[in-house]
Amino acid sequence: MIRINNLSKSFSGHQVLKDISVVFEPGITNLIIGQSGSGKTVLLKSIVGLHDVDEGEIWYGDVLFNKLNFIDKKEIRKEIGMLFQGSALFDSLTVEQNVRFPLDMFTDHGLEEKTERVNFCLNRVNIKNSNLLYPAELSGGMRKRVAIARAISLNPKYLFCDEPNSGLDPLTAIVIDALIKELTEEYNMTTIINTHDMNSVMEIGEKILFISDGLKCWEGNKNEILNSDCEKLNDFVFANSFAKKLRDSIQA
Amino acid sequence: MREFIFLGLNSIGIIAIISFFMGAVITLQTAYNTENPIYPKYLIGLGCRDSIILEFSSTVSALILAGKVGSNIASEIGTMRVTEQIDALEIMGVNSASYLILPKLVATLIFNPFLTLMSIIIGIFGGWTAGTFLGVITSEDFIYGIQYAFIPFYITYSLIKMVFFAFIITSVSAFQGYYVDGGSLEVGRASTKAVVFSSVLILLFNVILTQLLLS
Ligand SMILES: Nc1ncnc2c1ncn2[C@@H]1O[C@H](COP(=O)(O)OP(=O)(O)OP(=O)(O)O)[C@@H](O)[C@H]1O
Ligand SMILES: [Mg+2]
């Protein structure tokens, strides 16, 4: 479980996150949604400690994460897997070396054991016969999946995904979403996903936090999202004309 | 190991070419400026040797390396920054700054002095080739010249300078890359800045070190 209390963050006078409090439970897919530029990435990076926050508390279970020093943070980081918006695979390493990287950093297992784990993870995300390719030789969707494999290689308790399916076709996007949801349930991870894709929201939105201009505007689940009375959320959800028509025909 | 190949071995070609032609040009220039018979011919060899050792093999090579290796380091690290690879390293508990910069520093500090030595040898060879083939000096005079009044400390001086320059190039460029903020445009800008800043610092330290070491 991850609990955030009154979190605020600004960059040189420009306030990006304003007093956000929320709880993310394990075993379900928690979504952070909002417009481009609303602060989703900053929120996620603040939670994992890539940004220092100005105010507020970030609890991992019963550990106050944002007050720990580098060494103690490392203990928590062993349990964190993260998928970045642009995959962030290491260009100079092969697929196999990329997935093995966290194992090299955090474990003292032998090469054989690590390779076995790497192959298990790659298999889990359906990447086959690509161990020796470099990231530049993969398609966008494959890169995302390799990045997921890298994120889960240490069997993390916490999984963070920044727009896991941006830039993918709708079918591949759903496959990735389903994969993340499956892994979350399988390993009872606390999973937090940033997205602005309504397909994902309707597929895997078990808990949804909507932020707008750095403010928490609404929270709920995918069943509640269609009849919220939050103005900004409705603008977001019914942004396209197809969705609007659908809503109007149901209301009529 | 990878760093040695990328930052060191790949620079051998360019340094060799530059040194050869520099040596050739210096020899010819010295020859044409000393056509008066009161100067003994072997002075051409001596002039070539000292210019190469004192200035070209370290300072000019370093400026070339600032352009090649510096922009390479800045854009590599800068790209890792904007594509969140550095964030990914941090998440995995890696101290990204030392993980990325230290190997490059070690590689260039160890390898660049070899480039300087190589540059000296090839430069003098270039001078000999141009001088003898174009008939401005005989092989004997040239070889006598490069042995005449030889001061071994000049080589040490050149190597010391190169070690400083290697440090400047790598640290300035890595810094520029590491603190990129934005996208690929900013990466390009950072690598330009890396080259400009390290070149200026090289020229400045060239003066400082010369004053300290040769006065
Ligand atoms: N390192 C930074 N320095 C200064 N400002 C930043 C920094 N990172 C983000 N911001 C600002 O914070 C705001 C929120 O950015 P953020 O990247 O969190 O948006 P987002 O919701 O993830 O958008 P998208 O859906 O496009 O990824 C933006 O106005 C951005 O300019
Ligand atoms: Mg984002």
Side-chain angles (χ1 to χ4, degrees):
Chain A
M1 186 186 74
I2 294 177
R3 196 169 71 242
I4 315 243
N5 292 335
N6 308 96
L7 184 133
S8 295
K9 168 75 189 164
S10 57
F11 291 104
S12 48
H14 167 53
Q15 182 130 25
V16 177
L17 298 176
K18 296 158 198 159
D19 197 29
I20 292 189
S21 301
V22 62
V23 176
F24 300 107
E25 301 284 348
I28 59 167
T29 40
N30 299 282
L31 264 52
I32 301 172
I33 63 172
Q35 277 186 336
S36 189
S38 55
K40 302 184 295 293
T41 299
V42 174
L43 177 55
L44 207 62
K45 286 191 176 176
S46 300
I47 297 175
V48 297
L50 286 171
H51 292 315
D52 287 323
V53 301
D54 303 340
E55 261 170 73
E57 296 173 335
I58 299 161
W59 292 85
Y60 280 73
D62 46 16
V63 179
L64 182 55
F65 179 69
N66 58 325
K67 288 282 178 325
L68 298 178
N69 58 27
F70 184 83
I71 307 284
D72 293 332
K73 271 191 182 148
K74 204 168 162 171
E75 284 305 304
I76 299 274
R77 284 191 166 149
K78 266 187 210 171
E79 307 187 317
I80 291 180
M82 182 152 181
L83 174 62
F84 288 86
Q85 198 158 350
S87 298
L89 296 175
F90 303 125
D91 291 326
S92 57
L93 303 182
T94 61
V95 165
E96 180 174 318
Q97 289 166 334
N98 260 288
V99 180
R100 201 176 62 215
F101 194 92
L103 301 170
D104 290 337
M105 285 300 136
F106 285 122
T107 70
D108 39 21
H109 299 161
L111 185 64
E112 209 166 301
E113 201 176 336
K114 284 191 276 196
T115 309
E116 198 175 304
R117 176 71 191 159
V118 168
N119 287 329
F120 173 83
C121 292
L122 284 172
N123 216 8
R124 193 67 196 71
V125 297
N126 256 318
I127 297 280
K128 293 187 181 95
N129 307 321
S130 307
N131 286 29
L132 301 179
L133 296 181
Y134 285 89
E137 299 168 310
L138 304 175
S139 74
M142 285 169 86
R143 254 177 260 164
K144 292 261 155 136
R145 279 184 284 158
V146 173
I148 295 177
R150 183 176 70 179
I152 61 170
S153 66
L154 280 170
N155 226 333
K157 264 165 82 176
Y158 309 97
L159 181 64
F160 300 91
C161 307
D162 197 358
E163 313 223 356
N165 48 26
S166 63
L168 300 180
D169 66 87
L171 283 178
T172 313
I174 287 180
V175 170
I176 300 260
D177 281 345
L179 176 64
I180 293 172
K181 185 165 190 293
E182 238 176 82
L183 292 167
T184 302
E185 285 162 7
E186 196 173 325
Y187 300 113
N188 196 34
M189 292 186 288
T190 304
T191 300
I192 306 179
I193 304 163
N194 272 359
T195 185
H196 47 213
D197 177 26
M198 277 311 292
N199 280 334
S200 306
V201 173
M202 299 321 290
E203 282 291 320
I204 58 170
E206 294 178 284
K207 151 112 189 200
I208 301 164
L209 168 70
F210 174 68
I211 58 175
S212 173
D213 287 326
L215 277 170
K216 167 174 159 181
C217 287
W218 183 87
E219 68 180 300
N221 63 37
K222 65 180 176 188
N223 301 319
E224 297 159 353
I225 199 168
L226 295 179
N227 18 11
S228 80
D229 43 19
C230 169
E231 195 85 20
K232 281 182 181 147
L233 178 61
N234 283 329
D235 290 345
F236 182 86
V237 173
F238 301 105
N240 68 49
S241 50
F242 177 69
K244 277 195 203 101
K245 256 187 230 155
L246 211 62
R247 173 185 57 181
D248 295 343
S249 72
I250 290 171
Q251 279 172 354
Chain B
M1 203 52 228
R2 184 182 151 262
E3 308 292 349
F4 274 94
I5 295 171
F6 273 88
L7 304 177
L9 293 179
N10 286 350
S11 304
I12 287 181
I14 180 116
I15 293 293
I17 293 170
I18 302 262
S19 307
F20 184 87
F21 285 100
M22 278 298 170
V25 166
I26 295 165
T27 305
L28 294 180
Q29 282 175 351
T30 320
Y32 296 138
N33 283 317
T34 56
E35 280 186 324
N36 192 324
I38 59 165
Y39 299 116
K41 279 284 178 205
Y42 66 77
L43 279 188
I44 299 173
L46 185 146
C48 166
R49 178 199 73 201
D50 281 354
S51 314
I52 292 272
I53 294 180
L54 289 174
E55 223 28 55
F56 288 92
S57 63
S58 52
T59 314
V60 174
S61 297
L63 290 173
I64 302 291
L65 290 175
K68 185 176 182 294
V69 175
S71 61
N72 180 311
I73 291 176
S75 57
E76 182 186 326
I77 297 184
T79 303
M80 292 190 74
R81 167 63 74 192
V82 301
T83 56
E84 298 177 309
Q85 292 177 50
I86 291 184
D87 285 338
L89 282 174
E90 291 284 329
I91 281 290
M92 295 173 205
V94 178
N95 183 338
S96 58
S98 56
Y99 179 82
L100 292 173
I101 299 169
L102 229 47
K104 295 191 197 311
L105 211 51
V106 171
T108 47
L109 285 178
I110 293 179
F111 204 88
N112 285 18
F114 284 102
L115 290 176
T116 299
L117 289 176
M118 187 193 81
S119 165
I120 292 174
I121 294 166
I122 295 179
I124 292 175
F125 175 70
W128 174 83
T129 312
T132 53
F133 273 73
L134 296 174
V136 298
I137 183 173
T138 63
S139 182
E140 291 74 42
D141 277 343
F142 189 88
I143 289 171
Y144 179 74
I146 59 173
Q147 292 165 339
Y148 184 80
F150 174 60
I151 303 173
F153 180 71
Y154 282 1
I155 297 210
T156 319
Y157 157 80
S158 190
L159 293 177
I160 293 175
K161 284 207 297 183
M162 188 46 125
V163 169
F164 272 83
F165 297 159
F167 183 81
I168 290 173
I169 295 171
T170 310
S171 54
V172 168
S173 310
F175 180 88
Q176 291 295 337
Y178 195 79
Y179 288 103
V180 169
D181 194 5
S184 45
L185 218 62
E186 281 76 10
V187 174
R189 228 170 267 152
S191 81
T192 310
K193 269 202 237 163
V195 176
V196 174
F197 288 170
S198 43
S199 300
V200 172
L201 278 177
I202 285 170
L203 295 172
L204 181 69
F205 270 81
N206 190 28
V207 178
I208 297 174
L209 288 170
T210 303
Q211 176 62 22
L212 287 177
L213 293 169
L214 292 188
S215 68

